[in-house]
Amino acid sequence: MIIGYQLSKIEAERNDNVIPQDPIEISYKATTKSVGKDQNSKTLRFIFDYQVDLKDSKDNKVGKIYMEGSVIYAGEGIEEAYKKLTETGVMQQDIQQEVMQAISNMTIVEAMQISKTLNLPPIIKLPELTSSSPEPQKEDKKSSKNK
């Protein structure tokens, strides 16, 4: 289970020299740079980076958001998972999946706020609301007689 999360670095830029041409292509990249174990083997600390690149249809760079941080994982089998990682270079699948999901969930929220602040396109597609004409309400004959 994820018990802690912290960002240590945020970089973002908007390219004002480009007038974006639709559609905007958004690519994401999240990686764990290192994993460390605390001294009493109760938690693992994952150092990560997360990057969002925005390009237009002519491959012009529209903007970029980059973050670094750490996630702390606690759970059963930490010692064994860390030993396997040091021997094989591969983290236990369920732990890796939970950590990467937590990184994604936490950084997307931050990146959405940053993209709004820099007036970049939203990094995830937002729902589109459509307006439709409401159907005229039919008057209930029974209620009109009782009036």
Side-chain angles (χ1 to χ4, degrees), residues 1-5 43 71-74:
M1 116 173 88
I2 304 300
I3 62 169
Y5 167 80
T43 63
V71 170
I72 300 173
Y73 176 88

Side-chain angles (χ1 to χ4, degrees), residues 3 7 10 21 24 28 30 35 44 49 51 58 62 68 82 86 89 98 100-101 106 115 119 126 136 145:
I3 62 169
L7 288 175
I10 300 173
Q21 303 294 314
I24 302 296
Y28 311 90
V35 181
L44 296 174
D49 61 8
Q51 184 165 322
K58 294 185 177 179
V62 175
E68 290 180 3
Y82 187 74
T86 56
E98 185 174 347
M100 294 306 287
Q101 186 66 54
M106 295 171 196
S115 70
N119 200 23
L126 298 173
K145 289 182 181 178

Side-chain angles (χ1 to χ4, degrees), residues 13-123:
E13 63 184 53
R14 172 192 165 91
N15 186 351
D16 287 329
N17 298 324
V18 171
I19 298 172
Q21 303 294 314
D22 281 338
I24 302 296
E25 178 184 318
I26 302 170
S27 61
Y28 311 90
K29 182 179 179 187
T31 56
T32 52
K33 295 168 36 172
S34 65
V35 181
K37 177 175 58 94
D38 76 350
Q39 299 221 343
N40 61 10
S41 303
K42 300 250 189 226
T43 63
L44 296 174
R45 178 182 298 270
F46 291 78
I47 306 299
F48 70 87
D49 61 8
Y50 180 84
Q51 184 165 322
V52 179
D53 290 305
L54 298 97
K55 294 182 180 180
D56 70 6
S57 61
K58 294 185 177 179
D59 208 32
N60 294 315
K61 183 178 174 184
V62 175
K64 173 181 137 180
I65 301 170
Y66 176 81
M67 293 179 251
E68 290 180 3
S70 61
V71 170
I72 300 173
Y73 176 88
E76 296 296 317
I78 294 290
E79 186 69 41
E80 297 80 25
Y82 187 74
K83 183 178 178 183
K84 177 183 174 188
L85 173 67
T86 56
E87 291 173 355
T88 66
V90 177
M91 176 50 67
Q92 189 174 309
Q93 180 65 30
D94 60 329
I95 295 174
Q96 183 71 20
Q97 184 176 353
E98 185 174 347
V99 168
M100 294 306 287
Q101 186 66 54
I103 291 169
S104 180
N105 291 349
M106 295 171 196
T107 53
I108 283 175
V109 172
E110 297 292 336
M112 282 295 289
Q113 184 61 43
I114 293 166
S115 70
K116 180 180 175 185
T117 301
L118 292 180
N119 200 23
L120 291 168
I123 64 159

